Amino acid sequence: MDTVEAKFKALMIEAQRGDAAAYQALLLALSGHLRAFFRRRLSGDPDSGEDLVQETLIAVHNQRHTWLPEEPFTPWVHAIAKYKLIDHLRRDTRRAEDPLPEDDGHALVEDSLHDAATARRDLGRLLAELPPRFRLPIEQVKLEGLSVEEAAARTGMSASAVKIGIHRGMKALARSLLGGRDEHR
Amino acid sequence: MNTDELVQMLARGLEPTPPGVAQRRWTLALAASVPVAACQMLTTLGLQPDLLQVATLPMFWLKLALPLALCAGALRVAARLARPGATLGASAVWLVIPVAVIWSVAAFALLGAAPATRPALLFGETWRVCPLYIGSLSVPMLLATLWALRGLAPTRLRLAGAAAGLLSGAAAAGVYALHCPELAAPFIGVWYVLGMLLPAVVGALVGPRVLRW
């Protein structure tokens, strides 16, 4: 357990310095742990697990400034995952009080098509619904891999507007995940 | 988008995380809101006219020290609650000590006073308005501290809201102390504390709704 903590912490410190490879390794390792964490706690509802993994990863990303290098890393992630789980269970209870949603008859087929790493919520579609000032910087920098300057030149936005667009866009994405899930089911 | 693609997207073009985001946010919140509350106090209530003479009395400084100490304590607690996984530890002690001190002083004052003068020590002239004024002066700070928390990551929303409220109430009581004519410890121990609890209750009530992320 301590070696996991030491590994995560070292990676996170590198990530805080802007090392994308360390960050990617950290998030990949985390997603495995998170998947197990949520699966164990959502035995009756396995499909929500991957939703929560993705939601937690985005939350870790958006809130990464609240982790301090002098503090342990695992409790920080655990608290975020637990928070997202409780939030999800609350929404679920609220939903259970509503009348059952109309079933479109495809649910069975769709469920069987689900693979382990696919969330019910399609982030790609949520991203497409964001306004262009958020969507374009995220698509060009985060998906196509352009530099901030290249994306700025291509969109005609300033470099700082591109950075702000990415930052706010990720928050907006997290919000649409929170708000949209209820209608989606 | 599957989870591996999401991870790739999050990591691509990663920028270094600037240090001290949380401190800056708390500082900004208080620096923007306390002057507003001070102006609100100066324009609607006014400074205590004999402030300079009163400022020579120890009780005046005790009246000011209670909210300032609670302000510092509540800021510590709120800052911890804004970080996932941070334990409260001993930080809550700093909320208890100032209240314990003022209550001890108040108890001595009441015990030492002639029974007939005790109600005056407790109720003063302004007990009806004191908590309400503190509550209304706390509004700018409550809005600002809730804003600060929204940019951080509280996981216990009711508690975080209450801490933000207490912080706001304590700052407001500090501002109000410059107007308030009362100097008896029993008065401060009851009505100031009630006034500071008012925004704390509001914060606890709105926290789960406002602070969700």
Side-chain angles (χ1 to χ4, degrees), chain A residues 134-180:
Chain A
F134 297 157
R135 194 188 72 236
L136 292 176
I138 292 183
E139 279 176 351
Q140 301 194 356
V141 177
K142 292 287 201 178
L143 293 177
E144 295 170 35
L146 298 185
S147 72
V148 170
E149 287 70 28
E150 286 166 336
R154 213 204 263 181
T155 53
M157 299 165 79
S158 69
S160 65
V162 169
K163 283 191 202 173
I164 292 171
I166 295 173
H167 181 71
R168 300 235 168 107
M170 292 309 299
K171 302 242 155 160
L173 202 56
R175 269 198 304 281
S176 53
L177 268 175
L178 277 185

Side-chain angles (χ1 to χ4, degrees), chain B residues 7 14 22 25 29-30 77 86 90 145 154 157 164 170 173 179 186 198-199 202-203 210-211:
Chain B
V7 166
L14 182 74
R25 218 171 158 90
L30 290 178
V77 170
T145 50
L157 304 187
H179 159 80
L198 227 52
V202 174
V210 174
L211 300 175

Side-chain angles (χ1 to χ4, degrees), chain B residues 15 29 38 68 102 120 125-126 142 167 177:
Chain B
E15 302 264 331
L68 293 184
I102 195 78
E125 305 274 314
T126 60
L142 187 59
L167 169 57

Side-chain angles (χ1 to χ4, degrees), chain B residues 84-103:
Chain B
T87 50
L88 279 184
S91 63
V93 171
W94 296 104
L95 301 180
V96 178
I97 291 175
V99 177
V101 168
I102 195 78
W103 283 356

Side-chain angles (χ1 to χ4, degrees), chain B residues 35-136:
Chain B
V36 174
C39 287
Q40 198 182 332
M41 183 275 284
L42 289 173
T43 51
T44 61
L45 302 171
L47 277 183
Q48 198 182 345
D50 55 351
L51 190 62
L52 287 179
Q53 289 129 48
V54 176
T56 58
L57 302 173
M59 197 48 223
F60 171 79
W61 294 102
L62 189 61
K63 179 173 85 169
L64 211 54
L66 169 75
L68 293 184
L70 278 175
C71 199
L75 182 59
R76 267 180 86 89
V77 170
R80 275 167 177 261
L81 286 171
R83 280 186 284 122
T87 50
L88 279 184
S91 63
V93 171
W94 296 104
L95 301 180
V96 178
I97 291 175
V99 177
V101 168
I102 195 78
W103 283 356
S104 315
V105 177
F108 276 110
L110 284 176
L111 288 174
T117 62
R118 281 174 191 164
L121 289 179
L122 192 58
F123 293 107
E125 305 274 314
T126 60
W127 66 276
R128 277 188 193 84
V129 293
C130 168
L132 293 177
Y133 280 147
I134 292 176
S136 72

Side-chain angles (χ1 to χ4, degrees), chain A residues 95-140:
Chain A
R95 198 167 29 239
E97 287 160 8
D98 293 338
L100 280 173
E102 290 281 331
D103 196 326
D104 58 6
H106 297 295
L108 196 69
V109 186
E110 274 170 6
D111 281 355
S112 66
L113 288 176
H114 254 64
D115 81 74
T118 308
R120 216 184 273 241
R121 301 286 296 158
D122 185 15
L123 280 174
R125 201 162 53 219
L126 285 179
L127 186 60
E129 287 164 10
L130 292 183
R133 67 180 192 287
F134 297 157
R135 194 188 72 236
L136 292 176
I138 292 183
E139 279 176 351
Q140 301 194 356

Side-chain angles (χ1 to χ4, degrees), chain A:
Chain A
M1 201 63 214
D2 283 345
T3 57
V4 173
E5 163 68 21
K7 187 183 100 186
F8 280 175
K9 194 166 172 167
L11 287 173
M12 186 62 173
I13 287 173
E14 288 309 310
Q16 299 274 47
R17 294 192 185 124
D19 182 340
Y23 192 45
Q24 185 166 350
L26 173 68
L27 292 183
L28 274 181
L30 270 185
S31 57
H33 283 269
L34 289 171
R35 201 165 288 133
F37 174 87
F38 289 127
R39 191 171 294 156
R40 227 174 303 131
R41 286 162 182 80
L42 287 170
S43 47
D45 180 19
D47 280 338
S48 295
E50 206 58 27
D51 283 0
L52 279 168
V53 171
Q54 295 196 353
E55 214 171 305
T56 307
L57 289 174
I58 295 179
V60 162
H61 180 77
N62 284 341
Q63 311 293 354
R64 64 194 190 281
H65 61 278
T66 64
W67 179 72
L68 304 176
E70 61 266 27
E71 304 230 326
F73 180 75
T74 321
W76 181 79
V77 175
H78 183 258
I80 293 180
K82 194 173 138 204
Y83 173 74
K84 286 295 174 189
L85 177 68
I86 291 172
D87 193 62
H88 163 79
L89 293 175
R90 270 203 197 117
R91 272 177 290 171
D92 235 31
T93 333
R94 219 172 298 144
R95 198 167 29 239
E97 287 160 8
D98 293 338
L100 280 173
E102 290 281 331
D103 196 326
D104 58 6
H106 297 295
L108 196 69
V109 186
E110 274 170 6
D111 281 355
S112 66
L113 288 176
H114 254 64
D115 81 74
T118 308
R120 216 184 273 241
R121 301 286 296 158
D122 185 15
L123 280 174
R125 201 162 53 219
L126 285 179
L127 186 60
E129 287 164 10
L130 292 183
R133 67 180 192 287
F134 297 157
R135 194 188 72 236
L136 292 176
I138 292 183
E139 279 176 351
Q140 301 194 356
V141 177
K142 292 287 201 178
L143 293 177
E144 295 170 35
L146 298 185
S147 72
V148 170
E149 287 70 28
E150 286 166 336
R154 213 204 263 181
T155 53
M157 299 165 79
S158 69
S160 65
V162 169
K163 283 191 202 173
I164 292 171
I166 295 173
H167 181 71
R168 300 235 168 107
M170 292 309 299
K171 302 242 155 160
L173 202 56
R175 269 198 304 281
S176 53
L177 268 175
L178 277 185
R181 186 142 45 149
D182 297 335
E183 303 122 49
H184 189 74
R185 293 269 184 99

Side-chain angles (χ1 to χ4, degrees), chain B residues 196-207:
Chain B
M196 292 187 273
L197 285 178
L198 227 52
V201 169
V202 174
L205 289 176
V206 302

